[in-house]
Amino acid sequence: MTRCSKLVDVGRRQFLRGGAIAAAGAAAAVAAPPPSRAAIPGARVDYPSTRLANLADLKPDDPLDVAYPDDQAPGVLLKLGRKVEGGVGPDGDIVGFTTTCPHKGFPLSYAAASRTFNCPGHYSVFDAEQGGQQVWGHATQNLPQYVLRVDAKGDIYAEGLDELLYGRLSNVL
């Protein structure tokens, strides 16, 4: 029987040493916490301030259709009725999100009973009370949330996004 000249004879000790080094590297990668959004340069993208609505236009759990940062980016404003992450207004309960799924661009629908945005394409689900956090499905990022501000007259302005909009190479106008 002829032996292949391409084979490498790795002894037991060499094999175990290589395995231990690989395991240590994998453990170090898992142990390192992911950077927070605040620590990532450019994680928040600023757009020009745009008036979207007035406090009087909002009703609890009834999404108000808006477009931000331009007409090609549909979204909604929501009054959730309790203080939430990223919420503005007198009660800290007003939030805004894009309504395009960050996975494949399907239009999202809002379910008031669960306070989630749901994708009909691949069933991703995003929690409106938790800053658009993905709770189920194929998406690999959270739902882009508007950075909002309310002025003294009750006008609601969007001033940026916290995630990349679907289908855009950057969030620059």
Side-chain angles (χ1 to χ4, degrees), residues 114-136:
S114 60
R115 294 195 167 163
T116 58
F117 289 94
N118 304 297
C119 180
H122 297 103
Y123 310 109
S124 290
V125 176
F126 306 91
D127 190 333
E129 293 181 313
Q130 297 297 318
Q133 180 179 10
Q134 179 200 354
V135 293
W136 182 258

Side-chain angles (χ1 to χ4, degrees), residues 99-172:
T99 54
T100 302
C101 184
H103 175 237
K104 292 286 183 181
F106 285 91
L108 300 173
S109 61
Y110 178 69
S114 60
R115 294 195 167 163
T116 58
F117 289 94
N118 304 297
C119 180
H122 297 103
Y123 310 109
S124 290
V125 176
F126 306 91
D127 190 333
E129 293 181 313
Q130 297 297 318
Q133 180 179 10
Q134 179 200 354
V135 293
W136 182 258
H138 291 286
T140 58
Q141 76 178 50
N142 295 330
L143 191 60
Q145 183 174 5
Y146 301 157
V147 176
L148 298 175
R149 164 180 72 82
V150 178
D151 71 8
K153 296 184 289 184
D155 288 332
I156 304 166
Y157 291 85
E159 299 185 327
L161 293 160
D162 69 350
E163 297 276 351
L164 185 65
L165 289 172
Y166 174 79
R168 301 197 182 190
L169 299 177
S170 70
N171 277 343
V172 179

Side-chain angles (χ1 to χ4, degrees), residues 44 49-58 77-79 86-96 146-160:
R44 176 181 158 193
S49 184
T50 303
R51 183 188 179 280
L52 299 179
N54 187 280
L55 292 173
D57 300 329
L58 299 176
L77 288 178
L78 286 169
K79 180 172 179 58
V88 298
D91 302 320
D93 65 342
I94 298 169
V95 291
Y146 301 157
V147 176
L148 298 175
R149 164 180 72 82
V150 178
D151 71 8
K153 296 184 289 184
D155 288 332
I156 304 166
Y157 291 85
E159 299 185 327

Side-chain angles (χ1 to χ4, degrees), residues 64-78:
L64 176 68
D65 291 331
V66 296
Y68 183 75
D70 54 42
D71 292 339
Q72 309 307 310
V76 295
L77 288 178
L78 286 169

Side-chain angles (χ1 to χ4, degrees), residues 17-30:
R17 186 179 308 127
I21 291 170
V30 170

